[in-house]
Amino acid sequence: MQQCQMQIVENMRIARDTYRMSLRANELDLSLFTPGCFINIKIDDSAYLLRRPISLYEIDLAAKLVRIIYKVLGKGTELMSKMAAGEELNILGPLGSGFPIQNDSQSVLLAGGGVGVPPLYELGKRLQERGVTITSVLGFQDADSVYAIKEFETLGQVFVSTIDGSFGQKGTIIDILNKQEIEFDTLYSCGPAGMLKALDEKYQGKKEGYLSFEERMACGIGACYGCMVNTKAGLKRVCKDGPVFALGEVSYE
Ligand SMILES: Cc1cc2nc3c(=O)[nH]c(=O)nc-3n(C[C@H](O)[C@H](O)[C@H](O)COP(=O)(O)OP(=O)(O)OC[C@H]3O[C@@H](n4cnc5c(N)ncnc54)[C@H](O)[C@@H]3O)c2cc1C
Ligand code: FES
């Protein structure tokens, strides 16, 4: 785990309340960052003691850049959205376990919902380099919230759902998966807890799969036990033992 200042290269609105930020990573060893791990961002204001956990959307080893996509939800992300190129953020990372990449997997399903979509893109790029067939199913609230579709289309076939039906198919990604016959060996997903639970119920025992949980966090480094999740092997910390857990591992009661 490293801590350093990173310079903002770009901070651009890409959908309603949603921004893509590129950060220059001169001091970080980006080879330690794997898809699914996250960084903890310090908001440069003494009123905000807790860092904000954000996944990596893209890791550009050649340009020494990382990209994140974040949604403005509260005060911390609102302050981030007002920052300009040239300003700096203090970053702690990489944190958490990444998505395990299986050598024998020939085809994968990437299933993302809302702010859970970003970490699946870097994963998809790495899988594409290995010749894996990729299908993405991405869910959003409405047409104004949709982002990164063109990028996911470079990986393979993409299905999109919106709750109000204003873009793609009406409903959730589960509705798409119930209708479409998508062939895949391994599932990778990140999104709201209800979506992850529905995927777990649909595929556990039938497919190999990994779910990334975006639980509320405090320390983000395993010290405060403030992000516990119940698993079949007892309580685990999402920030340190996760955020990625295998299908069937988490207990939702
Ligand atoms: C592993 C992980 C990866 C994430 N990746 C992304 C991403 O790629 N893009 C994105 O838009 N969002 C992501 N999130 C959610 C993001 O961390 C929260 O939306 C953000 O922290 C909200 O901060 P805030 O100050 O705007 O909100 P506030 O509600 O003001 O935050 C108050 C406190 O609660 C914490 N908090 C609030 N909501 C969440 C949440 N959903 N998850 C964790 N902590 C939260 C904040 O970090 C802060 O400490 C991720 C969360 C986790 C745990
Ligand atoms: S947030 Fe402190 S242990 Fe996970």
Side-chain angles (χ1 to χ4, degrees):
M1 180 173 59
Q2 308 157 75
Q3 187 183 165
C4 73
Q5 291 293 116
M6 290 176 84
Q7 193 178 57
I8 299 170
V9 175
E10 174 204 55
N11 193 19
M12 189 183 168
R13 185 182 176 280
I14 55 167
R16 188 180 61 231
D17 297 332
T18 308
Y19 292 77
R20 187 184 62 222
M21 184 184 271
S22 303
L23 293 155
R24 192 168 303 288
N26 286 340
E27 292 174 39
L28 285 181
D29 180 359
L30 289 184
S31 65
L32 301 174
F33 287 69
T34 54
C37 67
F38 65 97
I39 54 173
N40 233 347
I41 299 179
K42 177 153 177 38
I43 306 299
D44 201 11
D45 183 318
S46 54
Y48 301 100
L49 289 177
L50 297 175
R51 289 171 178 265
R52 269 56 180 169
I54 302 284
S55 308
L56 297 177
Y57 165 67
E58 221 178 344
I59 303 166
D60 189 336
L61 292 169
K64 292 218 99 189
L65 290 176
V66 294
R67 290 189 188 88
I68 57 174
I69 290 181
Y70 64 94
K71 184 161 184 155
V72 174
L73 282 184
K75 286 284 172 203
T77 44
E78 190 187 334
L79 282 171
M80 281 170 63
S81 73
K82 297 199 168 120
M83 296 183 79
E87 290 187 73
E88 289 188 347
L89 279 170
N90 187 274
I91 304 291
L92 196 61
L95 297 168
S97 56
F99 287 110
I101 293 183
Q102 303 303 331
N103 285 331
D104 55 349
S105 183
Q106 302 293 311
S107 55
V108 304
L109 173 65
L110 304 180
V115 297
V117 168
L120 300 175
Y121 183 56
E122 180 63 30
L123 173 69
K125 287 201 324 182
R126 306 250 176 139
L127 291 166
Q128 189 182 43
E129 281 165 13
R130 301 165 79 104
V132 174
T133 302
I134 298 165
T135 307
S136 304
V137 182
L138 309 176
F140 301 90
Q141 281 299 319
D142 52 32
D144 290 345
S145 316
V146 173
Y147 61 85
I149 303 303
K150 281 203 183 82
E151 287 78 358
F152 277 88
E153 280 172 349
T154 66
L155 304 175
Q157 192 173 19
V158 179
F159 297 91
V160 182
S161 69
T162 51
I163 299 296
D164 68 356
S166 53
F167 189 100
Q169 298 187 41
K170 188 174 178 3
T172 66
I173 67 158
I174 307 296
D175 296 317
I176 292 183
L177 293 170
N178 286 340
K179 270 191 222 144
Q180 302 284 341
E181 284 292 318
I182 299 175
E183 289 291 320
F184 66 94
D185 303 328
T186 311
L187 164 74
Y188 293 99
S189 182
C190 185
M195 183 191 105
L196 299 182
K197 179 171 184 269
L199 288 170
D200 217 339
E201 286 167 356
K202 188 171 169 62
Y203 293 117
Q204 68 171 275
K206 298 178 189 144
K207 296 279 183 188
E208 177 155 26
Y210 301 94
L211 309 174
S212 182
F213 288 76
E214 295 194 336
E215 194 66 33
R216 273 189 169 257
M217 289 183 182
C219 74
I221 54 167
C224 75
Y225 291 80
C227 62
M228 305 303 281
V229 67
N230 204 6
T231 73
K232 294 192 175 138
L235 288 171
K236 290 197 176 173
R237 297 160 296 182
V238 173
C239 70
K240 186 85 177 170
D241 306 314
V244 177
F245 295 93
L247 274 181
E249 195 178 347
V250 167
S251 163
Y252 297 89
E253 282 109 49

